[in-house]
Amino acid sequence: MFKAEAFSPHETLAASLIEHAAEGDDGSHDLAHILRVFRNAMRIHAGEGGDGRIHAGEGGDGRILAAAVLLHDCVAVEKDSPLRAKASALAAEKASAILAELGWTAADISAVGHAITAHSFSAGVTPQTIEAKILQDADRLDAIGMVGVARCFYIGGRMGSGLYDPFDPAATNRPLDDKRYAIDHFQTKLFKLAEGFQTETGRRLAAVRDQSLRDFLSAFMDEI
């Protein structure tokens, strides 16, 4: 059951946008993911000097940020789809239409659209605003740490990947291939994410989760 109060201090905005927030049946990009990213974003927003008000200074505009979080995955594209690199642009386009119907100004719609477009790792778009930087950091925080581990294996199973190569799990004598083996995704992507965080608050949070990710892989390798 949707509870608007979970999106405090943007309950009213969440109530108006939540029906558009996620589509499809991907459990790694569902409402739980949206809420985790929202909480990450609000924590970074506060850490960077924002207070939730419009034009709130160095931490950015809380309303723009909240809308971008709520709609950043409003278009579902599978990880193995040829359209994957365009997913964030498609989501930004849909989000812009939704906000236009709600009477948002062109400038605010553009700001939300840019944040959504730039949040994706695969899109390769550099975030230019503080709201875009916070959304990118908040979304990437959900890809590392223990939640990131769970999402990695969930997506691997969804894509039909094995857990690991039983004869060379660390890829010592073979190329990494995260389409065949979920554990390879740690090296091909997850361990690289902490280096690219955009905000000081995001970087601090990422360092803790990155270490958790590395500790997990070490323990995993010990068991196999």
Side-chain angles (χ1 to χ4, degrees):
M1 178 185 297
F2 170 66
K3 296 183 179 181
E5 60 269 25
F7 292 88
S8 174
H10 300 283
E11 301 96 326
T12 302
L13 179 62
S16 68
L17 296 180
I18 201 65
E19 65 179 299
H20 307 290
E23 65 176 21
D25 62 351
D26 183 353
S28 67
H29 293 90
D30 57 2
L31 183 57
H33 166 70
I34 298 295
L35 182 55
R36 290 192 303 270
V37 175
F38 178 83
R39 289 171 173 164
N40 291 340
M42 292 299 106
R43 186 174 180 183
I44 297 170
H45 176 59
E48 295 298 302
D51 63 3
R53 296 177 300 179
I54 295 176
H55 308 307
E58 291 184 4
D61 182 332
R63 176 172 170 264
I64 296 292
L65 177 59
V69 170
L70 285 158
L71 296 175
H72 78 278
D73 279 338
C74 66
V75 172
V77 180
E78 292 285 0
K79 289 288 187 182
D80 57 354
S81 168
L83 293 176
R84 184 61 195 169
K86 298 180 180 179
S88 63
L90 293 171
E93 182 179 352
K94 181 178 177 180
S96 297
I98 292 167
L99 297 177
E101 289 184 2
L102 294 175
W104 282 48
T105 66
D108 286 352
I109 291 172
S110 177
V112 172
H114 169 66
I116 292 174
T117 300
H119 91 273
S120 171
F121 182 88
S122 55
V125 176
T126 301
Q128 301 296 327
T129 64
I130 184 60
E131 295 86 3
K133 291 175 181 179
I134 292 173
L135 175 56
Q136 187 182 95
D137 282 3
D139 188 61
R140 292 185 181 186
L141 275 175
D142 205 49
I144 56 180
M146 291 299 96
V147 171
V149 170
R151 293 179 74 208
C152 176
F153 288 114
Y154 170 88
I155 293 169
R158 187 177 177 88
M159 298 296 105
S161 305
L163 291 179
Y164 59 92
D165 180 340
F167 303 108
D168 190 2
T172 304
N173 297 301
R174 63 174 177 82
L176 290 164
D177 185 354
D178 60 357
K179 290 183 174 59
R180 292 187 65 190
Y181 307 115
I183 204 69
D184 285 16
H185 196 58
F186 284 63
Q187 296 286 354
T188 59
K189 178 180 177 182
L190 300 186
F191 285 162
K192 299 175 182 178
L193 291 180
E195 300 172 358
F197 274 65
Q198 301 287 330
T199 66
E200 183 177 346
T201 306
R203 284 190 288 273
R204 288 200 303 270
L205 297 171
V208 175
R209 296 197 187 193
D210 179 70
Q211 188 59 56
S212 294
L213 201 64
R214 295 173 188 275
D215 290 344
F216 170 84
L217 182 60
S218 177
F220 183 88
M221 289 298 184
D222 283 345
E223 290 188 12
I224 62 174

